[in-house]
Amino acid sequence: MSPTATGAAAGAVLALTWILVGFWAFVLVALAMLLGAAVGRVAEGRLDLRALADAFRGRRSSS
């Protein structure tokens, strides 16, 4: 699935959630989607949690 199609599907899910069950359900679904995307990136090896934690702590890396 292309990034454009994935984004369109995510937008449709969020819009329908907002319309059908309200704003707070929309926020909950959006947070769940973000968490799922982050877990997927970690599982694929495309997101390094150690480097991310170091960046939040203010440590810099030369690599």
Side-chain angles (χ1 to χ4, degrees):
M1 189 177 238
S2 73
T4 302
T6 303
V13 167
L14 289 173
L16 286 173
T17 301
W18 192 331
I19 290 168
L20 295 175
V21 289
F23 175 75
W24 292 111
F26 160 80
V27 171
L28 180 65
V29 170
L31 289 174
M33 291 173 84
L34 287 172
L35 180 63
V39 168
R41 283 190 168 241
V42 169
E44 288 179 343
R46 295 176 58 193
L47 179 62
D48 182 12
L49 291 179
R50 185 165 300 181
L52 186 62
D54 287 345
F56 278 118
R57 287 187 201 123
R59 297 182 182 168
R60 302 208 183 259
S61 173
S62 60
S63 58

